Amino acid sequence: AVDGATSVTITLSQTDRFGIQAIAGLGKAVGSSWLKFPASFIEDMNSNEITPSLASSATAVTYVADTTVPTLVSYTLDMNAAQPALAITFSEPVDTATLDPTTVRLQNVAASSGTPFHVLTGGTTVSVAGSTVVTITLLSADVDAIKTQNEHGNLARSVTNTFLATTAGLIDDMATNELAAIPFGSAG
């Protein structure tokens, strides 16, 4: 803050921002954004502490909505697990209730929609809403199909032939911003 200023801007750490984003309904609009603080929070120009806001909250006057679209950071496919799974890490907390595994396409090359590939037919997750990591337990039919592709075309045998693409709608963040599609021609 600048000496003599009448307003203060607080920049949240990533941990704090993710913590707020993970709580449904908190910090989503002026009516759900409050600030509580102790007297030691800030002093005026005469070294007087601010009146604390512990029993009641200071309500936000303005609010800028989260319009940042989540991105896929990384993923791990574990075909050797007792229950093979795909763990996907996103750039911010996501809402697992919006997860649609049927938008996921595994393919053996990054820059093509060629073969071999497999589009998931479903999957289950026990991941918690508000997490940045979502683990999809693969269905038996998908595991079998991927293994069949391995026999004929080298799909998902190593990091050099495991690429993930997705159509729009894989998952939303906690502010309902949808993950952008990862086209078949630029799978990661």
Side-chain angles (χ1 to χ4, degrees):
V2 176
D3 283 345
T6 58
S7 65
V8 176
T9 300
I10 301 169
T11 302
L12 299 173
S13 68
Q14 181 177 5
T15 301
D16 289 337
R17 185 170 55 88
F18 282 5
I20 292 168
Q21 288 174 324
I23 301 172
L26 178 63
K28 307 296 186 233
V30 169
S32 65
S33 303
W34 303 275
L35 183 63
K36 287 189 176 190
F37 48 85
S40 60
F41 176 68
I42 198 166
E43 294 177 345
D44 68 12
M45 295 295 293
N46 294 317
S47 298
N48 296 313
E49 292 183 336
I50 192 167
T51 303
S53 172
L54 298 174
S56 62
S57 302
T59 304
V61 177
T62 58
Y63 175 81
V64 178
D66 173 7
T67 58
T68 303
V69 175
T71 58
L72 187 146
V73 174
S74 64
Y75 62 92
T76 303
L77 177 64
D78 186 352
M79 295 295 290
N80 290 322
Q83 293 185 307
L86 175 65
I88 306 172
T89 302
F90 297 96
S91 60
E92 62 180 288
V94 291
D95 182 358
T96 55
T98 65
L99 178 69
D100 182 1
T102 66
T103 66
V104 173
R105 173 182 164 128
L106 297 172
Q107 56 193 54
N108 76 334
V109 292
S112 169
S113 61
T115 57
F117 70 89
H118 179 72
V119 177
L120 297 183
T121 60
T124 59
T125 183
V126 292
S127 303
V128 178
S131 176
T132 57
V133 179
V134 174
T135 301
I136 302 168
T137 301
L138 302 180
L139 298 177
S140 295
D142 290 323
V143 172
D144 293 343
I146 292 167
K147 287 181 178 180
T148 299
Q149 290 282 357
N150 279 343
E151 294 172 12
H152 304 295
N154 213 21
L155 173 65
R157 291 183 139 197
S158 71
V159 295
T160 61
N161 57 28
T162 305
F163 296 89
L164 187 148
T166 180
T167 57
L170 172 62
I171 202 160
D172 294 350
D173 70 9
M174 297 301 290
T176 70
N177 298 307
E178 185 177 274
L179 176 77
I182 302 168
F184 303 145
S186 59

